[in-house]
Amino acid sequence: AQSVTQLGSHVSVSEGALVLLRCNYSSSVPPYLFWYVQYPNQGLQLLLKYTSAATLVKGINGFEAEFKKSETSFHLTKPSAHMSDAAEYFCAVSLSQAGTALIFGKGTTLSVSS
Amino acid sequence: EPEVTQTPSHQVTQMGQEVILRCVPISNHLYFYWYRQILGQKVEFLVSFYNNEISEKSEIFDDQFSVERPDGSNFTLKIRSTKLEDSAMYFCASRVAGSNYGYTFGSGTRLTVV
């Protein structure tokens, strides 16, 4: 069975600073990996996804993530944080088969201070 | 951009009552899902639905729950005899055929059981 671990339930950065949100996965078969963002009182919005093509994936709002098989990681980064990035971020994994369920991590709350 | 639509956005029900949460997936999507998020916790998979039948379900999805696609456009989650612990945000998601595609989530229905 696959699972996701997000290290750090809460990350705080200053505006303009590097954002790094950590995600490690466990999967018995090659996984598909996703990052979703949830703004207060809203649904889940897809930031980016890895589906076995390029290991460095670029998403919306300047975010990117790198799939590292040797480290079983898929960390999310952004070079310069903006106040509007403050939200809950979820890493998720699914099997590389159509229709399989997404399994989410517990989420990381990102706070951005001025 | 196509959206997954969920209604109502907020529902309050008395313990023991039945509720039906409604979702309209994106029209050319073939896989449908329900997830829930208890306040402050992670997003949990409930059930997936494909070709008019359940393809996968979690331990949470017990006999109290059922899903249906009654008319080819709506996708419903029924909870019989609601309990206090059913209070959560319920998200519907859909995806197109082909495993490379991400899941599109609706904005959720906040269910409050009193």
Side-chain angles (χ1 to χ4, degrees):
Chain A
Q2 61 272 40
S3 65
V4 169
T5 301
Q6 291 185 244
L7 296 174
S9 59
H10 198 165
V11 171
S12 297
V13 300
S14 299
E15 194 171 21
L18 171 71
V19 175
L20 170 60
L21 304 183
R22 300 179 186 274
C23 173
N24 288 89
Y25 70 90
S26 172
S27 179
S28 56
V29 297
Y32 285 174
L33 294 157
F34 305 81
W35 276 99
Y36 282 84
V37 61
Q38 184 181 32
Y39 297 101
N41 301 313
Q42 294 190 27
L44 296 163
Q45 181 182 8
L46 179 66
L47 271 179
L48 49 79
K49 63 182 188 290
Y50 166 76
T51 54
S52 75
T55 56
L56 182 61
V57 181
K58 294 188 183 299
I60 62 172
N61 302 339
F63 284 94
E64 62 181 38
E66 187 172 7
F67 172 70
K68 291 187 177 180
K69 184 178 178 181
S70 60
E71 299 177 8
T72 61
S73 68
F74 190 58
H75 302 330
L76 181 71
T77 61
K78 182 174 180 178
S80 177
H82 192 272
M83 297 292 285
S84 60
D85 294 326
E88 184 87 9
Y89 291 80
F90 293 95
C91 183
V93 62
S94 75
L95 297 180
S96 53
Q97 297 167 13
T100 57
L102 271 180
I103 303 301
F104 284 86
K106 291 187 176 181
T108 298
T109 301
L110 176 66
S111 299
V112 183
S113 59
S114 57
Chain B
E1 188 171 332
E3 292 183 342
V4 174
T5 304
Q6 290 187 243
T7 55
S9 57
H10 192 180
Q11 181 153 0
V12 181
T13 188
Q14 289 198 327
M15 192 168 53
Q17 295 296 305
E18 174 183 287
V19 295
I20 297 176
L21 309 183
R22 303 182 190 280
C23 169
V24 179
I26 295 172
S27 61
N28 64 334
H29 285 193
L30 299 179
Y31 298 91
F32 313 113
Y33 307 84
W34 282 102
Y35 289 80
R36 79 172 184 189
Q37 185 182 29
I38 295 171
L39 187 63
Q41 298 186 25
K42 70 175 180 178
V43 179
E44 300 173 292
F45 167 70
L46 291 178
V47 65
S48 60
F49 192 85
Y50 171 71
N51 199 25
N52 286 319
E53 61 182 21
I54 291 173
S55 51
E56 191 177 357
K57 62 182 180 179
S58 72
E59 294 176 350
I60 303 168
F61 194 86
D62 58 23
D63 293 342
Q64 177 194 15
F65 295 90
S66 62
V67 289
E68 194 178 30
R69 189 159 162 79
D71 56 13
S73 61
N74 290 284
F75 178 52
T76 62
L77 175 68
K78 182 189 292 185
I79 310 175
R80 303 182 193 86
S81 188
T82 49
K83 302 185 283 252
L84 294 176
E85 53 265 38
D86 294 326
S87 295
M89 181 74 90
Y90 288 82
F91 292 106
C92 174
S94 67
R95 67 186 292 188
V96 71
S99 53
N100 285 8
Y101 296 92
Y103 304 68
T104 302
F105 282 80
S107 297
T109 293
R110 180 166 297 285
L111 176 67
T112 303
V113 182
V114 297

